Amino acid sequence: MQYDCIIVGGGFAGLQAAIQLGRYRHNVAVIDAAEGRSTMCRSYHNLIGFPIGIGGAELLALGRQQAEQLGIRFIKAVVDRAENAEDGLLLRTADEVSFRCKRLLIATGVKDRIPSFPELIPCLGISAYICPDCDGYEVADRQTLVLGAGNAGARMALTLTHWTSDLIYINHERSPVDRELLDLLADKGIPYIEQAIQSVNAEQAQFNGIVLEDGSALACERCFVAFGGNEVRSGFAKQLGVELMDNKHIIVDPRTKLTSVRNVWAAGDVAAHSEMVTIAMGDGSQAAIWIHKSLIATSM
């Protein structure tokens, strides 16, 4: 079976594109591994209509239900190979299943590098955060720990001074920090601790602090995580010859979201460069509009 369009990635960009393409009455499948960063956030607070927040999993479930009502097919799998074929594009999954499509939307997103403290996961979006643009407001005038590594953690701490001056940066991995950043931390009065975290204290969704490797404890109700080195999931896009930035984000036309390869679009965090739910949704809608235009142009 050949689809009009396959969307790889079922996060907010992919789901919004699927809904739009479903309303155009195209034959569309979404291939998703169900492990994107949007499944981890327990509450988004910066979305219109949800002033008290909504969990990522809940919002995704609502979006999937809406897409399914429009005839969109969902397939749980990981796409690891892609190639151009005579009649479109050929995708193969990790379990050796093949799919063909006339158009492809890559919405595979980014995987955050989060330390292996399982206690942090239920806190994400509620008392532990990743994105200052999304959630800096949530720590306004509150003591906040920055759990991070090297320059990435230092820059996060400095960014958060827009909302709070009560910050401590813990360089868990003891990665090097540029002297300029250390001086800025000192100028802002941000204590810098170069020590591994032994454990995280949390009660369900409430972050309560950490214990350092020397046994000392830091009590705090809010934290940001900033380790850098996030994985941009553009691997199979490269197989198609899609042009990437040095940081592996996919380069797209700002208007259409078309990549450098014919019939291949990209939207959301994998592209250059969203990393917010609202922008990802807009990217997905915009890509879907131009995918539709390209499909109907061939039938006229």
Side-chain angles (χ1 to χ4, degrees):
M1 181 177 183
Q2 178 162 285
Y3 291 93
D4 292 333
C5 181
I6 288 179
I7 300 168
V8 182
F12 295 118
L15 271 181
Q16 190 65 58
I19 290 167
Q20 184 67 27
L21 287 168
R23 290 174 62 84
Y24 285 133
R25 301 195 297 182
H26 291 301
N27 181 23
V28 176
V30 176
I31 302 177
D32 182 46
E35 58 180 27
R37 67 194 328 194
S38 50
T39 65
M40 297 175 62
C41 182
R42 298 302 190 267
S43 187
Y44 291 99
H45 294 93
N46 61 332
L47 304 181
I48 188 170
F50 298 101
I52 62 172
I54 183 169
E58 181 183 359
L59 193 55
L60 290 169
L62 290 169
R64 175 167 175 161
Q65 181 182 38
Q66 188 174 351
E68 287 175 332
Q69 290 171 352
L70 294 164
I72 305 301
R73 181 187 177 192
F74 284 83
I75 301 160
K76 186 175 182 181
V78 175
V79 174
D80 61 3
R81 283 172 288 168
E83 60 187 78
N84 289 293
E86 289 184 8
D87 53 351
L89 296 137
L90 177 64
L91 307 179
R92 289 191 176 89
T93 65
D95 51 358
E96 298 297 332
V97 179
S98 297
F99 299 91
R100 293 181 179 272
C101 57
K102 299 175 185 176
R103 305 291 185 270
L104 171 65
L105 174 60
I106 302 170
T108 40
V110 169
K111 183 178 181 180
D112 297 289
R113 192 164 75 91
I114 297 175
S116 56
F117 296 111
E119 298 85 359
L120 269 180
I121 303 304
C123 302
L124 290 173
I126 296 176
S127 58
Y129 311 100
I130 293 171
C131 172
D133 297 309
C134 301
D135 292 316
Y137 180 85
E138 303 302 321
V139 303
D141 304 318
R142 305 186 69 153
Q143 185 183 43
T144 302
L145 301 182
V146 176
L147 317 181
N151 290 339
R155 292 192 181 101
M156 177 65 79
L158 292 167
T159 297
L160 292 173
T161 59
H162 177 75
W163 290 277
T164 182
S165 59
D166 197 351
L167 293 154
I168 301 173
Y169 171 34
I170 298 94
N171 185 353
H172 170 64
E173 294 181 348
R174 299 188 182 90
S175 308
V177 179
D178 292 346
R179 171 49 57 186
E180 178 186 3
L181 292 175
L182 289 173
D183 291 343
L184 287 170
L185 291 173
D187 289 345
K188 294 288 187 179
I190 300 172
Y192 170 63
I193 299 173
E194 191 173 289
Q195 193 175 152
I197 299 165
Q198 183 182 106
S199 62
V200 169
N201 294 328
E203 186 175 348
Q204 297 180 349
Q206 179 55 58
F207 175 81
N208 291 321
I210 61 169
V211 177
L212 296 168
E213 65 178 347
D214 66 3
S216 60
L218 292 174
C220 192
E221 295 182 348
R222 294 288 185 270
C223 76
F224 262 80
V225 178
F227 282 79
N230 293 344
E231 177 193 354
V232 183
R233 292 175 159 175
S234 57
F236 80 86
K238 188 176 180 180
Q239 297 171 16
L240 292 167
V242 169
E243 186 179 2
L244 307 179
M245 300 176 67
D246 291 341
N247 61 10
K248 299 184 180 179
H249 283 280
I250 297 174
I251 297 172
V252 298
D253 181 279
R255 183 183 183 198
T256 66
K257 311 306 172 187
L258 182 65
T259 71
S260 59
V261 173
R262 183 172 174 266
N263 297 331
V264 179
W265 280 257
D269 293 352
V270 75
H273 185 263
S274 323
E275 306 226 9
M276 289 186 76
V277 173
T278 48
I279 297 173
M281 288 179 173
D283 280 359
S285 289
Q286 193 76 346
I289 289 168
W290 287 92
I291 290 169
H292 167 67
K293 289 179 184 292
S294 75
L295 287 167
I296 62 172
T298 61
S299 64
M300 290 181 178

